[in-house]
Amino acid sequence: MQLTSQYSAANDLIALEEKYGAHNYHPLDVVIESAQGAWVTDVEGRRYLDFLAAYSAVNQGHCHPAILRAMMEQAGKVALTSRAFRNTQLPLLLRDLHDLTGFDMALPMNSGAEAVETALKAARKWGEKVKGIAKDRAEIIVGANNFHGRTISIVGFSTEPQYRDGFGPFSAGFRNVPFGDVEALRNAITPNTCAFLVEPIQGEAGIILPPAGYLREVASICRENNVLLILDEIQSGLGRTGKLFAYMHDQIAPDVLIIGKALSGGFYPVSAVLSSREVLGVFQPGDHGSTFGGNPLACAVARAALRVVVDEDLPTRSAELGAHALAKLKQIRSPHVVDVRGLGLWLAIELNVPARPFCEQIRDRGVLCKETHEKVIRIAPPLTISPGDLDWGLEKITQVIEQI
Ligand SMILES: *Cc1c(COP(=O)(O)O)cnc(C)c1O
């Protein structure tokens, strides 16, 4: 077999992808070849400001030099040991996660969906072994319009018809309640409920903020009923909302915290479940695992990525730049804008028409953003973006929306 060594034109690459790849995405046709900070460069040399940041996986900016250095150094030593043996990096990442968050323990995985699955397994086993729920009876409550990943068990409790269509049958033991509704949660809890899994702010649903005080009430309902509060902060965490974690706006702490995405600054898939000794202590050797989870390359990258979040105080940057951006976006004058909302540098412009044509025109002016849920333009640049670049990008978006 002969492999063709190089294609230069974007159209050739797009044609290859369409021909040989499954069509489970509908990307904007910009073929990125390199990136630095908040900017990406396409294969034909055009530069774009990145207002998506890989769904918040590159909060630290593309190819952050400190994370790159850690990755190169570790890749030259040892990348993968499997957890059949120990390695020098995993213990240090576990300590960093504890020191940064206060949780007793962590269990590292790779993708976000795997970490969600891990949290669900921990919650069910805790339900049986600690709470005393009868075997195979544990129930987990989730929020409507949730997004927690794409595995069969996770899409099984999605309320989005497309995520589920054709993929059944699904796992039992999940119940949906409207997001933001504390009474619905209270009423859905039974003696068999082991956990409530929720995003503090729903990202994929279109940056949906719950009513003020929601999380605090949720935390107290869970505590009263001996139900674990599991927060999925895969997208909202690590600075995106203007705090290290979104739950910190409500001065609560979840029983289980799921993180991913920016945990690696975009270099590598790294995720983790953080919790107490009581919860993660339910796992015995052989109960759960992953060939790549906790590998030394992942751990070295994650340690460097966390250090950037702290050293560059990305949560504060996000709060300041986000407040500024929200005020600017609220000045857009267009009959198509229904709502402008967000927290930190995680903003949404909701339209009354499809957002895709807007995103295409915004791209043509040098800014990359992607519609979510058809009518929402999400704005989530790297948190390291300069105030000048941010204003430049917001100006392009404003021009396009006001002109259409
Ligand atoms: C992206 C995301 C996931 C899934 O993460 P993957 O790495 O794509 O599996 C889960 N939950 C939330 C809130 C996310 O934003």
Side-chain angles (χ1 to χ4, degrees), residues 247-263:
Y247 67 77
M248 293 173 169
H249 292 282
D250 289 71
Q251 285 120 17
I252 58 131
D255 300 296
V256 180
L257 177 66
I258 310 171
I259 58 177
K261 292 199 168 114
L263 181 53

Side-chain angles (χ1 to χ4, degrees), residues 19-35:
K19 183 170 178 194
Y20 296 116
H23 295 176
N24 57 325
Y25 277 92
H26 179 29
L28 284 181
D29 284 336
V30 46
V31 181
I32 297 168
E33 188 172 60
S34 63

Side-chain angles (χ1 to χ4, degrees), residues 55 111-114 116 147-150 199 204 232 234-235 261:
Y55 301 95
S111 70
E114 283 176 304
V116 171
F147 182 83
H148 297 291
R150 299 295 201 155
E199 301 152 82
E204 292 315 294
D232 179 346
I234 290 170
Q235 193 166 157
K261 292 199 168 114

Side-chain angles (χ1 to χ4, degrees), residues 96-133:
D96 285 354
L97 287 171
H98 165 78
D99 290 349
L100 189 62
T101 66
F103 287 94
D104 291 344
M105 299 182 138
L107 195 164
M109 295 294 283
N110 312 286
S111 70
E114 283 176 304
V116 171
E117 292 276 352
T118 301
L120 298 173
K121 286 174 77 174
R124 282 183 170 184
K125 192 146 193 177
W126 173 89
E128 275 195 30
K129 307 291 173 191
V130 179
K131 184 168 175 175
I133 299 170

